[in-house]
Amino acid sequence: MAEPDIAKFGRQGRGVAATGGGEDDQVFVTLTVDGQLCGVPVLSVRDILAEQPITRIPLAPAEIAGSLNLRGRIVTAVDLRSRLGLPAAPAGNARISVVAAQTGELYALLVDQVCEVVSLAADKFERNPPTLPPGWERFSAGIFRLQEKLMVMLDIPRLLAFSDAG
């Protein structure tokens, strides 16, 4: 399967193709997990990969889908559906890998879809609402209320903190 055109998503330390951003805007890669719109800071994203072969790791927690090879480097694949306490993806659905770095290691966050790069005004950012389910609240840095949807901002360091109790 061919990889998506990652030039439009930007890379760490490089410019992004989002337009119309103001001085105080924050830039995010948007993605979906089980129909929920989420965002991650564009500078956290190292790569975006189409579905990749994943090798299961024996005795790994259910949240660890396995490992994949990214240009000769072993990358831990994290199933975001499992990490967020959501049902498994329907059989046959391709999963996209959003590659992020944490403490010097690369992780592939398995998501349902990568949407676009957006620039949002920092003053539109809100704390987590009290109605956010606990599985989401643990890994959410806050939200943005968009015209038609609520975008949950995923906290990459918390998502990838597997040594913690949860």
Side-chain angles (χ1 to χ4, degrees):
M1 180 178 273
E3 290 189 28
D5 178 13
I6 60 172
K8 66 181 178 181
F9 297 110
R11 290 206 188 255
Q12 184 149 344
R14 297 185 187 170
V16 296
T19 58
E23 192 173 299
D24 293 329
D25 287 3
Q26 297 178 14
V27 183
F28 302 97
V29 174
T30 60
L31 50 98
T32 61
V33 180
D34 195 29
Q36 174 61 54
L37 183 65
C38 302
V40 294
V42 75
L43 293 179
S44 297
V45 177
R46 293 287 181 95
D47 223 329
I48 295 174
L49 309 171
E51 188 168 31
Q52 299 285 310
I54 295 175
T55 304
R56 186 79 181 125
I57 301 172
L59 306 176
E63 299 153 329
I64 304 296
S67 63
L68 57 89
N69 184 330
L70 177 63
R71 294 182 285 282
R73 187 160 177 193
I74 301 301
V75 177
T76 301
V78 179
D79 184 344
L80 276 193
R81 282 176 171 258
S82 179
R83 189 76 168 139
L84 294 167
L86 300 170
N93 279 20
R95 307 292 299 281
I96 306 296
S97 296
V98 176
V99 180
Q102 179 68 17
T103 61
E105 295 295 323
L106 292 179
Y107 294 88
L109 306 174
L110 300 179
V111 303
D112 299 337
Q113 181 181 21
V114 173
C115 304
E116 62 184 333
V117 174
V118 297
S119 181
L120 300 170
D123 64 353
K124 300 295 183 192
F125 179 79
E126 300 177 28
R127 292 178 185 232
N128 288 329
T131 56
L132 197 64
W136 285 90
E137 185 179 24
R138 253 177 56 208
F139 302 116
S140 171
I143 63 159
F144 280 94
R145 292 183 196 277
L146 305 180
Q147 287 179 346
E148 297 178 12
K149 289 190 174 206
L150 182 77
M151 184 169 70
V152 176
M153 301 311 310
L154 296 176
D155 186 320
I156 300 295
R158 279 194 268 172
L159 271 171
L160 300 177
F162 291 100
S163 61
D164 296 346

